[in-house]
Every structure is written in structure tokens, then in C-alpha cells.
Amino acid sequence: MRAKNRPLIAHFALLVAAFGQLQPASASAAVSAEAIAADPLQAADRKLASVTLPLLRQNARLCRIFAPATGLVLHSRDQYTNPTFERFHGDSVLAIAAVAPGSPAEAAGLRTGMSVLSIGDTGPEQWRDANVTPLRDAAYASLFAQSRDSLLVVSDGAAARTVQLRAPLGCRALVEVTTESGLAARADGRVIQVSYGLVSGATEAELAVIVAHELAHQILEHRRRLDLAGVRKGFFGQFGGNLAANRMAEEEADRLSVHLLANAGFDPDIAPRFWRTGMGVSLGSGLFRNRAYRSPDDRAAFLDREIDRYLGNGAGPTYPGHLLIRRDGPIIY
Ligand SMILES: [Zn+2]
């Protein structure tokens, strides 16, 4: 289930997780407590963007749909139940939630907290007209349509200025932090979501393993292929042919993930190592995933074999044609 919006209630759960006992005594205290809660979420957005950027940029060759790999994380006012929560200047509807360190966005002078007034020749009016929620999605569509070079008008709350953002093309994926405090990661074919609990609790290497696995699902077009095969999600995914197909998709994603990691400059061995840790085992034991692998050790051993066979030197570049060719066929199980 997607959590497009970041509901206020979840923010309070997050607040308690981050700061322990914060009991706002009045309405105005509640507002300032909300403002404090923005910071851990911003840090999580930045951390996830930082890990994601090399995965998207350095695996472009493996993808079929592209977007400039900017390192820019946008958020819109309509993602929040209470618009006073985040720092949206004045009546601006779109702002920068995070900028990945060392990214093209950072080099262009873009900073967290800036309002985005226009992207190319589109602004709030066009984004609203697109009739998608959150509005951020329409803004990203504008950014993605600009190819490698785009002009943004931004404001830090005072003067507006035009910024030229140049970025190489990478894989197209929206990657975002949800406010869930538990451990969760999912990909619906378009958006990759990682829970706040996971982003804040994992090391950058562990987070790279998680994002690489979800990105692998997207690159291998699993949602489309599973739908085509009539495979059921959720509870019924645990049984019979559904289980076998879901298991195959998980195995394909795991195998591709080590190639994505190697291309992005990570040691692919971090994947089998992570899936043996407590966090990895816990994350891998979702509704049907607990049956998608016989044991965490089997899963890790499976990854070790992929690395031994195709990534003997432990580094990229690698072009895993043996896995990518499966995109054009059905899920075979
Ligand atoms: Zn998976």
C-alpha cells in the first residue's frame, strides 16, 4: 500500500521515535514540535538520496526509461495534512526536501528548503492542471521531461533566481522515505518507498542493498510481468503458482541487485552479508517473503553464487544480460 501523503499522525509517531517524550502543552507548542520533527525526516531524505544517486546514474545502461540523475528530492505541500509542518515559504506549493551530497543539484546551488517556483516552462498552474496527487509527481514529470538540462526558478524565501541544472541521464525511479517507523521497502513499478525506520536504522551500505533490490524489481518490470501472469499480491501470493512466481521475482531481483551495487561502486558482498543480519532477516520475512526463501542463509548463499559466477573481481562495470533478457518474457517458474 502506498503512503503518498505523510499524515500528521505518522509524524507524531516519528517525533516520539526520534525525540522520546515530547508532549506539546498547547496548540502553539504543537506547531513548534512539528517543526522539530522535520529535521530527522530531512536527514533521512538526504541519506536515501545520497545512496540512490550512484545506483540510478551508474546503472543507466541497464534501464529502459530514463531521467536526469539530479540528486534533487522534491516535496509538495499537499503531501502534508498540516501545511504548517514543513518549511514552505509563503504560499509556495513545491520545495526542496533534500539534495544529495556531491550531486548535480548541489553543484547547481540548490539547497534544502528552497521553494521551487518553476521547472522549464511549467509552474504551479500546470502542475495542478496535471491533476495528479501529490502535486510533486507532476513537478517531477516536468523535471524528467527536461532531459539533461533544465532551468529552475527557485527562492530562498526572499529573492527568486534562475538556476541551470545539468545532470547525466540515469534510471528513472522516484525513491522516497515514508513515515512508517517499522522496517519496510517496496516498489510498485514507479515509486520505490523505504520506511523511515529502515532509512534511519540502516548503514549507507545496508540501505544501498535495500534500494538495489527494489530498483532491480523495477528494472526487471516485475509488477507488469506479475500482473500479466495474473499473479496475486498479498495473502493469496503465498500459495501455489502465486508463491512460485513471487519467489522467482524475488530471486531475479536479488541476483540483479548485486550487479547494480557493483556498477554503483559498492562491494556486492554487502548484499549477502546484509540478508544474514537481524535487520535483513526481519525485512525479508514479510507476508509471503518468509516463504519466498527457505532461509536467510539460502538467500545469502544464492547471492554468493551470483557474485562468484559473474562478479569474480567484486566490482563493475557489469552488464547482466542473462537477467535483463527476462524482461521480455513471462515470469517462468
Ligand atoms: Zn523483493
Side-chain angles (χ1 to χ4, degrees):
M1 186 182 301
R2 288 192 55 199
K4 271 186 187 171
N5 297 326
R6 292 170 163 177
L8 184 61
I9 192 95
H11 273 299
F12 275 113
L14 170 63
L15 191 77
V16 171
F19 297 101
Q21 314 292 329
L22 265 177
Q23 297 285 337
S26 68
S28 63
V31 171
S32 65
E34 286 180 328
I36 295 167
D39 293 330
L41 197 54
Q42 273 174 10
D45 278 330
R46 187 169 186 271
K47 185 176 177 183
L48 184 61
S50 168
V51 164
T52 301
L53 184 63
L55 285 165
L56 296 182
R57 185 165 56 193
Q58 285 154 239
N59 284 298
R61 232 161 37 104
L62 281 57
C63 289
R64 284 171 161 173
I65 45 169
F66 307 97
T70 61
L72 187 62
V73 182
L74 300 171
H75 61 165
S76 52
R77 197 183 278 264
D78 62 345
Q79 286 178 276
Y80 301 93
T81 310
N82 182 347
T84 62
F85 167 71
E86 283 281 338
R87 297 177 200 113
F88 287 90
H89 298 299
D91 58 359
S92 69
V93 293
L94 187 73
I96 298 176
V99 175
S103 66
E106 188 181 72
L110 297 170
R111 297 291 178 263
T112 302
M114 285 178 167
S115 301
V116 181
L117 307 178
S118 70
I119 299 174
D121 56 3
T122 70
E125 204 179 315
Q126 289 74 30
W127 302 331
R128 279 195 201 94
D129 283 350
N131 222 9
V132 293
T133 52
L135 179 138
R136 175 208 68 179
D137 285 8
Y140 269 117
S142 295
L143 186 63
F144 293 168
Q146 307 292 310
S147 192
R148 293 156 203 250
D149 213 335
S150 48
L151 290 178
L152 275 68
V153 178
V154 294
S155 161
D156 57 9
R161 65 193 175 92
T162 302
V163 168
Q164 184 172 41
L165 176 57
R166 307 189 81 139
L169 288 182
C171 299
R172 179 186 295 194
L174 278 181
V175 184
E176 66 182 14
V177 182
T178 68
T179 50
E180 300 151 278
S181 55
L183 305 181
R186 59 181 81 84
D188 71 356
R190 194 180 67 89
V191 182
I192 294 169
Q193 295 187 322
V194 188
S195 67
Y196 174 82
L198 199 47
V199 176
S200 56
T203 65
E204 292 213 347
E206 290 169 339
L207 200 49
V209 172
I210 294 156
V211 175
H213 176 91
E214 299 303 331
L215 180 61
H217 277 306
Q218 181 165 321
I219 291 174
L220 292 167
E221 301 173 20
H222 279 149
R223 194 62 266 153
R224 177 184 67 76
R225 291 165 62 208
L226 287 167
D227 285 346
L228 205 65
V231 174
R232 300 182 71 173
K233 298 181 227 182
F235 179 76
F236 292 101
Q238 301 181 82
F239 304 109
N242 291 324
L243 173 64
N246 280 318
R247 178 180 288 166
M248 181 51 68
E250 290 307 315
E251 289 185 359
E252 284 184 5
D254 270 349
R255 293 178 68 185
L256 185 60
S257 74
V258 292
H259 295 273
L260 301 182
L261 288 167
N263 280 336
F266 294 98
D267 177 352
D269 283 336
I270 61 178
R273 213 177 298 147
F274 171 70
W275 294 115
R276 285 186 173 104
T277 65
M279 183 184 274
V281 170
S282 168
L283 186 63
S285 58
L287 189 56
F288 61 76
R289 289 184 204 164
N290 55 346
R291 298 188 61 206
Y293 289 92
R294 282 176 202 88
S295 75
D297 275 341
D298 278 1
R299 183 177 195 182
F302 188 77
L303 283 168
D304 285 333
R305 279 199 296 279
E306 181 75 13
I307 293 167
D308 287 347
R309 185 160 175 198
Y310 295 99
L311 294 161
N313 61 355
T318 156
Y319 187 84
H322 62 292
L323 297 169
L324 296 174
I325 198 166
R326 299 190 184 192
R327 284 187 291 208
D328 293 316
I331 298 266
I332 298 165
Y333 54 92

